[in-house]
């Protein structure tokens, strides 16, 4: 177990343990053969360890062996933070580490250790109340993934100092008593103020009622205007990929809103908007012309419900040349208002010939 490592060319190890109440099988200091897999050539390590039973000694031995052996580690992922596994400061042993993912409650000391990792590029952590007063500081992180309720997340991001950040992924939710529009607008104002060099932004705003199995089906109601939520983001001219996921919420958005986004983000390559549009108003199909004209690099476009009105399409300006790059187009649903479906497809084909062959249009309402 502590001799010559097996599989010396192995570069990635996934260590897991499963507790069985029937057989009493659990990771222990007596079955740590996995240590023979961890050697100086390992670049990636993922730990998913059961803490049921008497496993503290086993976990401590694993963490100590990793700290002493895997000096070239570049990727580390664990259900538990190193400090909670009995090895504070473990992350600082890995001078080459580039990616850190903690799937459970991270300890404040581990977050402070992040500032010492000069090669760290990607950090993914959930935010709990234990971090409510902590400050993330890193001169190297370019990609940050965070998840937590809004009341902790907003202050955490506002205090952060990550000047090289280019990619931000957020999963959050509002409190039951707080409206989506106000919270989302405030959060995105913080994002745009603190992280001015963003190129990739992904927001997933969970609807707590929609996720509960026992929750009654909620009738559609307006959760505000998309324009009010996205307005703080318009100055971020470098954005290349934007995903705003507000599924479960009904938002109003118009063709003018789509035009404003297309004009604000000329470098867009991917745009994904996900929310309900049962109430309206909805943007019209004609708003695709703004994206075709203003975003020449656009490759992926996912939009919520849209209206197809014949008079609006007739008045729409059409770019002289078709869009050369878009190949993925999804429209959640289309509400027809006097337009023939064949005419809609002809319009899409003129704007985006590559995408028209594989475009997906959801349920159609006539």
């Amino acid at each position: 177990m502590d001799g010559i490592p097996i599989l010396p060319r192995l570069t990635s190890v996934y260590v897991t343990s499963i507790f069985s109440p029937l057989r009493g099988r659990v990771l222990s200091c007596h079955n740590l053969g996995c240590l023979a897999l961890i050697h100086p050539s390992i670049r990636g390590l993922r730990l998913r360890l059961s803490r049921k039973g008497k496993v503290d000694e086993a976990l401590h031995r694993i963490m100590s062996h990793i700290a002493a052996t895997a000096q070239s580690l570049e990727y580390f992922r664990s259900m538990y933070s190193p400090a909670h596994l009995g090895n504070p400061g473990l992350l600082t042993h890995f001078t080459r580490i580039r990616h850190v993912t903690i799937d459970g409650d991270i300890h404040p000391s581990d977050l402070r250790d992040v500032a010492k990792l000069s090669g760290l590029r990607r950090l993914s952590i959930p935010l709990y109340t234990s971090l409510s007063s902590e400050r993330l500081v890193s001169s190297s992180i370019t990609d940050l993934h965070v998840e937590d309720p809004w009341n902790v997340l907003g202050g955490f991001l506002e205090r952060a100092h990550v000047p090289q950040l280019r990619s931000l992924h957020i999963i959050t939710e509002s409190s039951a008593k707080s409206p989506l529009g106000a919270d989302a607008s405030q959060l995105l104002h913080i994002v745009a103020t603190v992280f001015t060099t963003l190129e990739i932004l992904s927001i997933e705003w969970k609807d707590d009622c929609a996720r509960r199995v026992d929750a009654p089906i909620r009738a559609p109601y307006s959760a505000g205007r998309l324009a009010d939520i996205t307005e703080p983001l318009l100055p971020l001219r470098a954005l290349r990929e934007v995903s705003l996921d507000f599924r479960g919420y009904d938002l109003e958005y118009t063709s003018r809103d789509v035009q404003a986004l297309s004009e604000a983000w000329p470098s867009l390559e991917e745009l994904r908007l996900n929310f309900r549009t049962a109430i309206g108003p909805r943007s019209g199909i004609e708003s695709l012309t703004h994206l075709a004209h203003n975003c020449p690099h656009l490759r992926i476009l996912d939009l919520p419900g849209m209206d197809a009105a014949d008079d609006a399409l007739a008045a729409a300006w059409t770019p002289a040349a078709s869009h050369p790059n878009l190949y993925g187009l999804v429209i959640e649903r289309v509400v027809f208002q006097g337009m023939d479906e064949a005419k809609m497809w002809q319009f899409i084909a003129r704007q985006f010939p590559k995408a028209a062959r594989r475009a997906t249009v959801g349920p159609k309402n006539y």
Side-chain angles (χ1 to χ4, degrees):
M1 179 176 64
D2 294 322
I4 299 174
I6 61 175
L7 303 177
R9 296 185 179 181
L10 191 68
T11 59
S12 183
V13 175
Y14 179 14
V15 181
T16 184
S17 66
I18 302 175
F19 177 75
S20 171
L22 297 178
R23 298 185 179 182
R25 296 179 62 186
V26 67
L27 188 68
S28 74
C29 60
H30 301 295
N31 58 13
L32 288 180
C34 61
L35 294 184
L37 296 172
I38 301 171
H39 53 79
S41 296
I42 292 298
R43 298 293 184 270
L45 178 67
R46 181 178 179 185
L47 302 176
R48 185 176 179 85
L49 306 174
S50 170
R51 301 196 71 179
K52 296 181 180 180
K54 298 179 179 180
V55 297
D56 288 342
E57 182 182 352
L59 291 176
H60 182 74
R61 284 195 60 184
I62 287 179
M63 302 305 285
S64 297
H65 185 76
I66 291 170
T69 307
Q71 297 295 312
S72 298
L73 200 67
E74 297 178 0
Y75 171 87
F76 177 81
R77 181 170 184 174
S78 173
M79 290 179 61
Y80 311 100
S81 77
H84 286 150
L85 291 178
N87 201 319
L90 172 74
L91 295 177
T92 59
H93 287 263
F94 310 124
T95 58
R96 299 183 182 180
I97 200 161
R98 296 175 60 84
H99 296 176
V100 171
T101 298
I102 305 298
D103 296 316
D105 193 351
I106 187 170
H107 194 275
S109 65
D110 293 308
L111 190 64
R112 291 191 288 270
D113 287 341
V114 165
K116 305 173 185 178
L117 303 174
S118 60
L120 187 63
R121 297 292 180 266
R122 183 183 186 275
L123 177 66
S124 179
I125 55 172
L127 300 176
Y128 294 91
T129 53
S130 61
L131 302 179
S132 59
S133 61
E134 294 295 320
R135 186 185 188 207
L136 174 63
V137 178
S138 173
S139 60
S140 63
I141 290 177
T142 60
D143 185 2
L144 176 64
H145 296 238
V146 288
E147 177 176 1
D148 199 49
W150 151 244
N151 58 348
V152 175
L153 180 62
F156 179 84
L157 293 177
E158 198 166 25
R159 290 188 300 274
H161 179 66
V162 193
Q164 299 301 318
L165 195 71
R166 298 295 182 270
S167 178
L168 177 62
H169 303 257
I170 294 174
I171 300 177
T172 189
E173 64 184 1
S174 298
S175 64
K177 298 180 181 179
S178 183
L180 167 70
D183 281 354
S185 179
Q186 188 176 354
L187 175 63
L188 295 184
H189 176 75
I190 292 173
V191 167
T193 301
V194 178
F195 308 112
T196 58
T197 57
L198 276 183
E199 297 177 6
I200 299 173
L201 176 63
S202 173
I203 307 287
E204 180 183 346
W205 206 288
K206 296 180 180 180
D207 177 7
D208 185 58
C209 292
R211 291 185 294 113
R212 286 170 42 203
V213 176
D214 59 342
I217 298 177
R218 188 174 64 188
Y221 75 98
S222 177
R225 298 170 60 241
L226 177 67
D228 293 336
I229 295 174
T230 58
E231 191 274 336
L233 297 177
L234 298 184
L236 299 181
R237 302 281 293 177
L239 282 172
R240 296 184 293 106
E241 299 178 17
V242 177
S243 176
L244 303 178
D245 187 343
F246 301 107
R247 71 185 70 185
Y249 294 97
D250 277 85
L251 291 176
E252 304 174 11
Y253 86 119
T254 66
S255 297
R256 287 181 177 269
D257 299 336
V258 175
Q259 180 179 1
L261 298 182
S262 72
E263 292 175 348
W265 305 328
S267 299
L268 266 184
E269 297 174 10
E270 298 183 15
L271 176 62
R272 293 179 171 90
L273 303 178
N274 188 348
F275 48 84
R276 294 167 51 177
T277 58
I279 297 178
R282 290 171 291 270
S283 175
I285 287 287
E286 73 280 357
S287 65
L288 295 179
T289 59
H290 302 302
L291 291 162
H293 177 65
N294 296 319
C295 305
H297 308 292
L298 194 63
R299 297 179 290 108
I300 301 293
L301 179 59
D302 288 5
L303 295 173
M306 305 188 81
D307 288 341
D310 198 47
D311 55 347
L313 187 60
W317 170 79
T318 302
S322 59
H323 194 280
N325 293 314
L326 190 80
Y327 63 84
L329 174 63
V330 176
I331 301 175
E332 183 66 24
R333 73 185 183 108
V334 173
V335 179
F336 286 91
Q337 299 178 352
M339 181 189 294
D340 180 77
E341 183 176 346
K343 190 172 183 180
M344 178 197 73
W345 283 110
Q346 291 171 2
F347 171 73
I348 291 176
R350 286 197 306 271
Q351 301 294 316
F352 307 109
K354 289 184 179 179
R357 294 189 291 268
R358 62 180 72 181
T360 300
V361 175
K364 306 175 185 65
N365 300 93
Y366 295 90

